[in-house]
Amino acid sequence: GVDSGWSSQASPGKLLSLRHLRRGHLRRAPREEPKLPTEHRDSRSCTTFRASRLDRLTRVLTLAGFALLPVITGCQFLDTPTRLSDGFYAGAVAGASLEQFDLPSGLDSETGATFGLRGGYRFFHHRAALEFSYEELVVVDLELDTPRLDVGEFSGRTFMAQLKGYANDAPIQGYGLVGVGLIDAEIKDNLGVGLAADESELAIKLGGGMEVHTGAHWTFFVEGAWTHPTDELDDFDFITVLGGVNYRF
């Protein structure tokens, strides 16, 4: 087998559950590190911390820029009927998932990607919508910080029913949303340390966005949302930053 340098406090032969992971039962085995002068250690940790924060900020700003492209494009072709009508619509989304996983010390997760389909019905003079969504969360690596090592992979999908409320009935509409549904998540264990799991749990979703109407049928939108799974997956929150397009029938 692979010597992963990890040990478990669980009983022998028992696969660690997500509860063990959340409660910190997964520990790194102690290892000797070269002794460095205090000023050298402080300088190295500070430099690593700053580089990590700068890298994360750069990725978030880049992804937010890409998510805004549908709205900017929609504004270029703005040609909206005087009165927006109620009715059915369907569309697609794509963007990034920013993981907020509560992992044991030493483990970290990478920013992932997501895509999906949506459909719903606009009502109340185009000021509200009941929407159903499916979103696929592309594989997210779970990594050991030092040394850099892929420990596992997280992937999943969500099925949501969400209610959206719009601030106005103008060609450019801001909105908020609240949703509830199911998340189906899989965790792959690359090193055999007991991370493997396959769970389906209830999840809630809160978010908001902006939608641009470019004619009688097409709309473009950008959206940010926070999804919180419950029970066995309640430490695997994530934020999605999405751009998308809808077709109104």
Side-chain angles (χ1 to χ4, degrees):
V2 178
D3 182 9
S4 62
W6 290 74
S7 62
S8 169
Q9 295 178 6
S11 58
K14 181 178 179 181
L15 193 65
L16 290 181
S17 67
L18 292 180
R19 292 292 186 189
H20 288 93
L21 176 61
R22 291 207 309 273
R23 292 172 183 172
H25 288 245
L26 191 61
R27 304 291 187 206
R28 287 183 56 199
R31 62 185 182 88
E32 293 295 329
E33 292 189 355
K35 299 294 185 179
L36 294 176
T38 303
E39 62 271 14
H40 289 177
R41 292 200 304 269
D42 292 343
S43 176
R44 184 179 62 179
S45 61
C46 183
T47 302
T48 303
F49 175 76
R50 289 175 180 171
S52 175
R53 291 291 297 273
L54 181 59
D55 180 61
R56 183 176 292 272
L57 178 60
T58 301
R59 283 185 294 172
V60 170
L61 292 177
T62 302
L63 293 169
F66 278 113
L68 283 171
L69 283 177
V71 173
I72 296 173
T73 303
C75 289
Q76 302 300 314
F77 302 98
L78 197 61
D79 181 20
T80 309
T82 304
R83 182 177 180 80
L84 300 174
S85 59
D86 296 342
F88 291 98
Y89 65 91
V93 298
S97 57
L98 312 177
E99 282 66 40
Q100 307 293 305
F101 298 165
D102 185 10
L103 299 172
S105 178
L107 280 180
D108 196 7
S109 59
E110 293 293 324
T111 299
T114 184
F115 61 91
L117 300 173
R118 295 186 177 184
Y121 184 81
R122 296 286 290 262
F123 61 96
F124 194 54
H125 306 296
H126 216 68
R127 299 287 292 273
L130 176 61
E131 184 175 89
F132 298 92
S133 70
Y134 160 76
E135 292 176 14
E136 186 77 19
L137 304 174
V138 180
V139 171
V140 175
D141 290 331
L142 305 179
E143 298 181 335
L144 180 63
D145 289 337
T146 306
R148 205 66 178 174
L149 184 66
D150 286 342
V151 176
E153 296 175 349
F154 178 94
S155 62
R157 57 211 53 86
T158 61
F159 307 88
M160 290 281 178
Q162 46 203 39
L163 185 64
K164 300 167 75 173
Y166 294 82
N168 52 45
D169 57 1
I172 300 178
Q173 294 182 292
Y175 65 86
L177 69 86
V178 57
V180 62
L182 184 70
I183 179 170
D184 178 36
E186 301 169 3
I187 300 178
K188 181 181 177 182
D189 188 347
N190 292 340
L191 300 179
V193 295
L195 290 175
D198 188 348
E199 301 284 347
S200 296
E201 300 290 354
L202 188 70
I204 60 172
K205 183 178 183 180
L206 299 173
M210 182 171 61
E211 189 166 1
V212 177
H213 298 258
T214 61
H217 297 287
W218 293 100
T219 68
F220 296 84
F221 64 91
V222 61
E223 179 183 292
W226 167 71
T227 301
H228 174 66
T230 61
D231 202 19
E232 289 291 335
L233 297 172
D234 64 0
D235 282 331
F236 289 86
D237 296 11
F238 58 91
I239 296 172
T240 51
V241 181
L242 304 171
V245 58
N246 286 328
Y247 181 83
R248 300 168 58 238
F249 298 100

